[in-house]
Amino acid sequence: FFFKKGVLGEVPGTMSSAAARILVLAFVFMPATLAFQSHPAVAGGGTRQARGSAMTRSSLPALAARRHLQPACRASPRRAGAPRLQTRMAATTRDSHTLSAEDLAAGPPVIDVSALLVGGASAEREKVVRKIARASASWGFFQVVGHGVPARDIEAFDASVGRFFARDKEYKYKIKRSADNSRGYFDDELTKQTRDWKEAVDIGAQDGDLEGKSKVDGFNQWPEGDDVFRSDVTGYFGHCEALSRTLCRAMAEGLGEAAEFFDPLFDKHTSYLRINHYPPCPNPVESNFPLRSPNAETEGYLAINRHTDAGVLTVLRQKHDEPHSLQVFISDDMDKDHESRHGQWVTVRPQPGALTINVGDMMQVYSNDRYVAPLHRVLANRERARFSAPFFFNPPYATDCAPLATVGTPVYDVVNWGEFRRRRFEGDFADVGKEVQISQFRVPV
């Protein structure tokens, strides 16, 4: 599954002679030209391949022969009439990761995305695209209003969630997840090899279908005798999927790609909805607790320990009138392992009617570090319970994720989503040592 690091030698250094430079250029551009000509969308006038479709495993040997070139699936020509922003946004530069003191005090921006739901190009849409790009590059978090998810459906979802978690353990354990099936109820998850203070249930799709089964994630388990829960959760799941597609189109434009670039990637997605309940905790850590994981016995608990989300993006339901417990770690060294970063925690305060969005690891890979998958955690609360529901928008398991052609020299090798997801789940279910992180796939400098 994985494209291994260190297969090839180092990138050639700077040449002193003009002849040497010409020789290097010949070695660089000749394979890229051949890859372009042999691509199904080009060679022999064959059937056009959808842009943004996942690379297959069979494409990896060809890629290994030219590690620092763009994969062939990204060499297909732009479709006639496909819109593209004419200038690279300031938000897609490395400097844009920096936030001012005023930014930190205000928190992640709240963006009205209603212009994205109308369809077609407009000045208002471009403004929204720019705001999303800036937020994705700096915070990795933003909140959206005007998102099109009906308030009545969110309220029905919230009510069903509350009823489920009010049931006794015996009832909930009937759908408990296992090492062979990641779907279902659990109250024993580890994050960074540390127990979380929460209980939750996961509902997910295989090939875009909630009835599907997978060797990676298993199959859905639904509460016994509660058809209303199933209906409300399924309806809310569909809303999150639609919103995620809309946001991915805006994020593609922010990277200089066509709006529909990511569409084929999610034809058979493996997204899932995690429904969390955080009961009152007798020994929570303070909000200024440092980056590391606490010792539960001597220092207290976090509801969820620090982590990044593994997939493409996350749509989070959290209530504005419950404890504001979500924190994002703001750091200038986001290319380092999670444990090696320096920065500060900032609380994300949900606004009424808003949904909270954050960038996932695979989107950071696709964007070549233009967008940031932020480290975040959830504080436990001594007195009040809290509910949340992150929807993780994920590609098919066979997808090989790699930087886009519009974002410069790749800083990541190919990451197979199915293998990355499997290894991340193993770390959630049991202590298997250091969890898999995208920093492990950075191209050696």
Side-chain angles (χ1 to χ4, degrees):
F1 277 87
F2 278 117
F3 178 84
K4 303 297 184 183
K5 295 183 178 179
V7 173
L8 302 177
E10 297 301 312
V11 180
T14 303
M15 301 294 179
S16 58
S17 70
R21 284 195 292 270
I22 292 172
L23 181 62
V24 170
L25 288 172
F27 274 101
V28 170
F29 288 107
M30 185 181 299
T33 302
L34 292 174
F36 178 82
Q37 291 175 342
S38 63
H39 192 267
V42 178
T47 304
R48 183 180 64 191
Q49 178 172 316
R51 287 181 53 81
S53 60
M55 289 174 59
T56 62
R57 296 173 204 169
S58 62
S59 66
L60 290 180
L63 180 62
R66 54 184 193 282
R67 185 174 76 180
H68 299 287
L69 298 179
Q70 306 297 334
C73 74
R74 285 178 267 137
S76 56
R78 183 166 300 279
R79 285 174 288 197
R84 182 184 217 174
L85 294 183
Q86 296 303 309
T87 57
R88 181 65 54 80
M89 296 183 182
T92 61
T93 65
R94 288 188 180 278
D95 292 341
S96 66
H97 295 302
T98 303
L99 291 166
S100 68
E102 291 77 11
D103 292 330
L104 295 175
V110 180
I111 304 174
D112 185 342
V113 297
S114 55
L116 302 180
L117 307 180
V118 177
S122 68
E124 189 60 33
R125 176 187 175 84
E126 185 168 325
K127 289 180 183 178
V128 175
V129 168
R130 291 180 180 275
K131 289 179 181 179
I132 289 175
R134 293 190 189 100
S136 299
S138 53
W139 287 96
F141 264 101
F142 54 97
Q143 298 185 62
V144 295
V145 295
H147 45 64
V149 182
R152 64 180 180 277
D153 291 349
I154 296 177
E155 292 167 1
F157 171 74
D158 289 345
S160 281
V161 167
R163 287 194 304 271
F164 172 78
F165 284 117
R167 303 292 292 260
D168 58 42
K169 287 284 187 182
E170 182 180 2
Y171 177 81
K172 289 179 282 192
Y173 270 24
K174 291 180 180 179
I175 60 168
K176 195 172 190 303
R177 75 179 187 182
S178 66
D180 299 321
N181 186 10
S182 72
R183 309 300 193 203
Y185 173 83
F186 57 94
D187 57 1
D188 53 1
E189 181 162 77
L190 303 176
T191 304
K192 300 292 186 184
Q193 299 82 51
T194 305
R195 179 78 172 265
D196 294 333
W197 191 270
K198 70 174 183 183
E199 58 177 341
V201 61
D202 282 355
I203 302 294
Q206 169 61 29
D207 293 335
D209 182 3
L210 287 175
E211 301 301 320
K213 296 182 180 181
S214 147
K215 292 181 180 179
V216 177
D217 279 324
F219 57 91
N220 288 326
Q221 303 182 79
W222 297 97
E224 187 177 75
D226 194 346
D227 292 339
V228 174
F229 177 91
R230 183 167 185 166
S231 175
D232 290 339
V233 169
T234 299
Y236 182 72
F237 188 101
H239 288 309
C240 289
E241 178 185 345
L243 177 59
S244 296
R245 292 179 185 276
T246 296
L247 294 174
C248 275
R249 292 182 186 117
M251 296 173 84
E253 289 184 84
L255 295 171
E257 278 292 354
E260 65 270 26
F261 181 87
F262 287 117
D263 286 0
L265 189 66
F266 297 102
D267 286 344
K268 295 185 177 182
H269 63 91
T270 59
S271 308
Y272 69 100
L273 178 65
R274 170 162 293 174
I275 308 168
N276 297 310
H277 171 228
Y278 311 97
C281 176
N283 187 27
V285 302
E286 296 298 323
S287 61
N288 61 351
F289 191 84
L291 177 62
R292 63 180 175 82
S293 297
N295 182 309
E297 293 184 0
T298 61
E299 297 175 305
Y301 283 91
L302 284 163
I304 303 180
N305 281 270
R306 75 192 190 281
H307 65 285
T308 57
D309 292 346
V312 172
L313 68 79
T314 302
V315 176
L316 173 67
R317 164 61 175 160
Q318 56 175 343
K319 299 179 182 179
H320 72 280
D321 55 356
E322 291 185 348
H324 296 173
S325 303
L326 175 64
Q327 292 187 314
V328 55
F329 192 73
I330 301 303
S331 170
D332 291 332
D333 49 6
M334 52 81 187
D335 57 329
K336 295 182 180 179
D337 286 355
H338 298 174
E339 296 78 9
S340 305
R341 300 182 186 183
H342 298 85
Q344 67 181 97
W345 289 107
V346 177
T347 299
V348 179
R349 305 187 185 282
Q351 300 300 306
L355 293 169
T356 304
I357 312 299
N358 66 268
V359 175
D361 286 334
M362 295 304 103
M363 182 60 85
Q364 181 167 331
V365 170
Y366 278 123
S367 72
N368 212 34
D369 282 349
R370 268 53 173 184
Y371 296 159
V372 180
L375 266 176
H376 53 287
R377 69 183 183 185
V378 179
L379 300 173
N381 189 280
R382 190 183 304 275
E383 299 175 352
R384 299 180 61 195
R386 177 176 177 266
F387 296 88
S388 74
F391 172 86
F392 303 104
F393 198 41
N394 300 331
Y397 294 122
T399 303
D400 293 318
C401 304
L404 306 180
T406 56
V407 290
T409 302
V411 299
Y412 291 99
D413 286 329
V414 172
V415 184
N416 177 266
W417 165 243
E419 181 68 7
F420 192 86
R421 164 64 184 154
R422 180 189 64 78
R423 291 173 61 186
R424 183 65 68 88
F425 172 65
E426 287 175 350
D428 292 344
F429 190 80
D431 188 348
V432 294
K434 184 177 180 179
E435 73 172 7
V436 63
Q437 299 176 20
I438 58 173
S439 59
Q440 298 163 18
F441 297 87
R442 297 189 73 85
V443 174
V445 178

